[in-house]
Amino acid sequence: MALTGLDIYKLLPKTNCGECKSPTCLAFAMRVAQKQAAVEECPHVTDEAKDQLGAASAPPIQLVAIGAGDAKVEVGNETVLFRHEETFHHPCGVAVTVSDADSEGDIAARVDKIVHLIFERVGTRIAVDMVCVNNDSGDPAKFAAATKIVADKCPTALILNSENPDALKAALDVCADKRPLLYGATADNCDAVAALAKEKDCPVGAKADGLEALAELTQKISGAGVKEIIVDPGTRGLRETLESLTQIRRYALRKSFRPLGYSQIAFATGGDDPMQTVLSAVTYVAKYAGIVVTDAIEPWQLMPLLTARQNIYTDPRSPIQVESGIHRVGEPGPDAPLLLTTNFSLTYYTVEGDVESSKIPTNILVVDTEGTSVLTAWAAEKFTSEQIAAAMKKSEVEAIAPHKKVIIPGLVAVESGKLQEETGWEIIVGPKESSGLPSYLKANWGG
Ligand code: SF4
């Protein structure tokens, strides 16, 4: 169990020198216990005390890195149960399965498909970031051959899924530089898997039936010197898995229970209903998997899964924003329309998509409204005639729109009179909804 504030205080110098920016050693101890300060911030603490305090100052859920270089996926180090309390810091890894029981041609084709599963949403590329190679054949040589195909063709991080240490070793020999997750350490094989992981500096996935057995297993693996662990309580049904994921997260955060203070892996695989597979995977992303493994591979399955992950791991305190200023759609000339919108990504990309579908080259002036949508920004006085006029001046819109006409969203039509006075421009009130832009632009600016 984690140390209490008083436990920590007993190990501090008790001189109240204030160099840690806390007024007293006791205040500092309380901050360390609440994970608000690191023990290293006290320059006078002894090495011996530091070792003892390590448990108290470590994050409640360990940070684990899988993969190397640009493909590295970091999971864990979360500090809250609910996103609105703060934010979730490390997006859940999404892994798609590959079976070593398939032919080499089928494996290569599946990997090609995975590599091309990249989508663009609100200006961000979202993609599958891991491949989980399953040792369904039970044959170490086939497992190694399948892993090599995946490692050669796919730039993502890898999970090697086998309970056979010989198979893990054979596969690891062809991809050790990728620092894969060795998934499948159980009570029976944990010594061999831990030795392999320690030798190659790889993270380990620990699997046990039930939380008690899992806590025992993680202590054994960490006692063997493995630094990074991912846990699996062995459940597979949606309800049972959701319960386990939630219990483990609560133990880690609410009880500071170190043996379960690890990121979790969940499996949305093997079902008959492809829609249910996606729903299960999305549920696990929301609560509280660090890695979701799925056999879903169709774009219609992965797009909603990756979108859900993007939404859940977006900091609710800072909406996704696009750069303010002029954005060009197509190659607008001096007669092209000039539209106004806000810098909330969802708003901007909706407008941009609708303008694109009109096929009328257009300039869009994006006003910095701190990532809020049109009506919210207007209500918060961030999209008033004064701010719009200032944005027009800053972006020197006269150079790109010498006709001196600007189209404002219909939702802020009330600003048109004042904006005309402020700028001297002709203010045209556009459609209320972005979906009205294609027909509006074609009818009024189609030439
Ligand atoms: Fe106490 Fe160390 Fe802080 Fe000084 S720096 S007040 S000794 S905890």
Side-chain angles (χ1 to χ4, degrees):
M1 293 288 280
L3 300 175
T4 66
L6 277 179
D7 294 332
I8 296 164
Y9 174 67
K10 286 177 195 163
L11 296 165
L12 295 176
K14 305 184 193 69
T15 57
N16 299 333
C17 70
E19 287 181 48
C20 59
K21 299 199 174 66
S22 293
T24 63
C25 293
L26 182 59
F28 178 69
M30 300 312 284
R31 289 181 61 224
V32 172
Q34 290 162 10
K35 323 281 190 276
Q36 292 170 353
V39 71
E40 289 74 18
E41 289 171 40
C42 168
H44 307 296
V45 74
T46 64
D47 287 345
E48 192 186 335
K50 261 187 208 161
D51 288 345
Q52 291 183 53
L53 292 171
S57 55
I61 297 176
Q62 185 194 43
L63 181 68
V64 173
I66 300 155
D70 291 344
K72 185 163 75 174
V73 176
E74 288 189 326
V75 295
N77 205 10
E78 303 298 346
T79 53
V80 291
L81 269 177
F82 304 106
R83 196 184 72 133
H84 62 259
E85 292 177 88
E86 187 185 289
T87 186
F88 293 166
H89 295 281
H90 292 94
C92 168
V94 171
V96 173
T97 56
V98 165
S99 172
D100 72 347
D102 289 341
S103 71
E104 293 193 354
D106 285 350
I107 293 170
R110 190 170 170 87
V111 173
D112 274 341
K113 199 164 176 180
I114 293 169
V115 168
H116 290 101
L117 286 167
I118 298 169
F119 310 92
E120 184 158 333
R121 184 173 176 271
V122 290
T124 308
R125 281 158 66 91
I126 52 178
V128 167
D129 35 30
M130 308 176 96
V131 173
C132 177
V133 189
N134 292 336
N135 183 209
D136 296 325
S137 72
D139 178 350
K142 276 193 174 170
F143 191 43
T147 302
K148 179 149 178 39
I149 294 170
V150 177
D152 288 349
K153 290 179 81 71
C154 192
T156 66
L158 294 179
I159 300 171
L160 303 181
N161 179 7
S162 177
E163 291 181 21
N164 178 352
D166 292 336
L168 287 174
K169 182 173 183 338
L172 191 52
D173 282 345
V174 300
C175 69
D177 58 324
K178 288 196 168 244
R179 202 169 184 269
L181 173 69
L182 305 184
Y183 170 76
T186 65
D188 294 333
N189 69 13
C190 66
D191 291 339
V193 175
L196 194 57
K198 203 173 162 204
E199 183 194 334
K200 303 284 187 185
D201 185 32
C202 289
V204 164
K207 178 164 70 170
D209 288 332
L211 304 194
E212 214 171 301
L214 191 58
E216 274 177 31
L217 181 59
T218 60
Q219 289 178 93
K220 221 170 158 189
I221 294 170
S222 63
V226 174
K227 294 195 187 86
E228 294 170 272
I229 299 173
I230 300 283
V231 293
D232 172 11
T235 49
R236 291 296 178 264
L238 176 59
R239 184 176 65 80
E240 298 82 359
T241 303
L242 184 58
E243 278 174 5
S244 302
L245 291 168
T246 306
Q247 280 177 327
I248 290 174
R249 179 84 155 212
R250 283 178 176 276
Y251 269 116
L253 295 185
R254 296 277 197 255
K255 308 275 185 199
S256 298
F257 184 57
R258 290 284 166 211
L260 292 178
Y262 298 104
S263 200
Q264 308 179 60
I265 187 168
F267 289 80
T269 54
D272 300 329
D273 179 351
M275 178 66 88
Q276 185 57 48
T277 300
V278 178
L279 292 173
S280 298
V282 169
T283 305
Y284 304 152
V285 166
K287 285 181 182 289
Y288 287 103
I291 299 171
V292 170
V293 179
T294 180
D295 46 20
I297 193 169
E298 297 305 324
W300 71 263
Q301 294 177 296
L302 286 160
M303 177 70 177
L305 173 57
L306 296 170
T307 300
R309 177 180 68 172
Q310 186 188 28
N311 287 342
I312 289 162
Y313 282 89
T314 298
D315 189 338
R317 298 164 302 180
S318 50
I320 308 177
Q321 302 174 23
V322 296
E323 203 175 326
S324 57
I326 299 292
H327 292 239
R328 291 174 176 80
V329 179
E331 291 179 9
D335 296 329
L338 172 65
L339 283 176
L340 276 184
T341 191
T342 73
N343 72 335
F344 179 42
S345 270
L346 208 51
T347 299
Y348 173 76
Y349 284 104
T350 305
V351 169
E352 188 198 70
D354 287 326
V355 170
E356 262 172 8
S357 72
S358 78
K359 308 237 181 312
I360 308 283
T362 299
N363 290 301
I364 304 175
L365 173 59
V366 174
V367 179
D368 182 358
T369 57
E370 297 171 21
T372 49
S373 61
V374 169
L375 214 45
T376 309
W378 178 76
E381 302 196 344
K382 293 173 184 162
F383 198 54
T384 60
S385 55
E386 289 85 3
Q387 276 107 341
I388 294 171
M392 288 171 66
K393 192 171 174 194
K394 187 175 170 198
S395 294
E396 299 175 346
V397 286
E398 211 163 323
I400 55 159
H403 49 65
K404 297 186 75 174
K405 295 175 189 165
V406 62
I407 305 158
I408 64 171
L411 289 172
V412 292
V414 68
E415 294 292 328
S416 59
K418 270 177 83 181
L419 186 58
Q420 189 150 358
E421 280 174 26
E422 297 256 355
T423 60
W425 279 46
E426 182 181 340
I427 310 301
I428 303 168
V429 176
K432 279 191 174 173
E433 300 296 334
S434 174
S435 57
L437 281 171
S439 54
Y440 166 79
L441 288 173
K442 277 184 209 156
N444 296 283
W445 296 82

